[in-house]
Amino acid sequence: MRMRGKFLTFEGVDGAGKTTQCDAVAQALAARGVAFVRTREPGGTPLGEELRGLLLHRAMEPITEALLMFAARREHIAAVIEPALARGQWVLCDRFTDASYAYQGGGRGIDTTRLDTLAQWVQGALQPDLTVLADVAPELAQARRARVREADRFEAEALEFFLRVRAAYRARAQAEPQRFIVIDGARSPDAVTAEILQRLEPWLAAQR
Ligand code: TYD
């Protein structure tokens, strides 16, 4: 039977550099001949991408927002993530459930026990094997974002919101140190990539 693929997720406040790291890891895996699927949340399926359009641009109530995030996630897990892992492919996902705890929990103030219930329902035992948290001061992330693009509904939130998002991310990383690698998003991207790849090395060696 083929070995199950590894599930890697990339998290951080908007503008922290998680997408750059996801790109770099994708390149490194391709160079080593590891089969992988790269995807994102919210999104990753045709239905999920439609929900993403609503989530990023349409005003809605926080509970609605949380439910739609998990609805998109369910579709994504069933149609993309689980089948890929079962085929032995790695999955690189730009954001996953930790983002719901950070943004809907920390940012919007939704009770964590409610999110636990949704997570249990939607993903059962599925957890990332490794989560890269790009951690950077929200002030810096905000300045970076402002240089490159127009704000969506989340990015338009005040600094206070992002301070809560960051605190929630860090609390999750502290609670599960074996799953998370927390990187200082203010460091040079290449040094950060090298650190992530070092962490992946045992898994890569097992594939050879
Ligand atoms: P992202 O992909 O980082 O946006 P971009 O393409 O602009 O880099 O994420 C989209 C937004 O969705 C981001 O602001 C965080 C938010 N989000 C949540 O609030 N909860 C979630 O569960 C997820 C997956 C994302």
Side-chain angles (χ1 to χ4, degrees):
M1 210 177 85
R2 185 170 304 192
M3 203 158 79
R4 189 175 158 85
K6 294 293 176 193
F7 182 24
L8 314 183
T9 61
F10 296 80
E11 300 280 358
V13 298
D14 301 83
K18 70 184 164 48
T19 306
T20 308
Q21 289 309 325
C22 193
D23 288 343
V25 172
Q27 264 188 19
L29 292 184
R32 286 166 167 80
V34 176
F36 67 92
V37 171
R38 181 166 176 190
T39 185
R40 68 171 181 183
E41 289 204 352
T45 65
L47 175 61
E49 292 293 328
E50 283 192 44
L51 292 172
R52 178 186 178 92
L54 296 174
L55 281 159
L56 266 52
H57 302 292
R58 183 83 82 84
M60 64 184 74
E61 200 266 336
I63 294 177
T64 312
E65 182 181 289
L67 291 169
L68 289 182
M69 288 291 178
F70 276 97
R73 180 162 300 130
R74 177 61 211 163
E75 197 67 14
H76 194 205
I77 290 169
V80 176
I81 299 176
E82 269 298 348
L85 294 173
R87 282 194 299 267
Q89 292 179 301
W90 288 33
V91 174
L92 307 191
C93 192
D94 198 329
R95 297 194 188 281
F96 192 61
T97 307
D98 294 302
S100 299
Y101 284 91
Y103 283 78
Q104 282 66 54
R108 305 274 191 231
I110 294 205
D111 196 28
T112 307
T113 57
R114 294 207 160 153
L115 299 176
D116 290 341
T117 304
L118 289 173
Q120 173 57 39
W121 192 28
V122 162
Q123 68 198 74
L126 177 70
Q127 280 292 346
D129 294 295
L130 181 75
T131 299
V132 174
L133 173 59
D135 182 50
V136 80
E139 292 85 346
L140 177 59
Q142 203 170 46
R144 281 187 186 162
R145 291 200 302 272
R147 283 202 296 274
V148 294
R149 57 179 184 237
E150 287 223 350
D152 61 36
R153 202 165 63 82
F154 293 98
E155 293 169 346
E157 289 290 337
L159 192 58
E160 271 303 309
F161 177 86
F162 287 102
L163 291 171
R164 294 195 301 274
V165 170
R166 183 194 197 191
Y169 267 136
R170 286 162 69 121
R172 286 186 70 73
Q174 253 179 4
E176 280 183 83
Q178 68 297 344
R179 173 164 70 88
F180 276 88
I181 168 166
V182 181
I183 54 167
D184 179 350
R187 274 169 60 198
S188 106
D190 289 350
V192 167
T193 305
E195 192 179 323
I196 298 170
L197 291 179
Q198 207 172 25
R199 233 347 232 277
L200 298 180
E201 205 41 64
W203 292 337
L204 291 169
Q207 296 248 315
R208 287 197 279 266

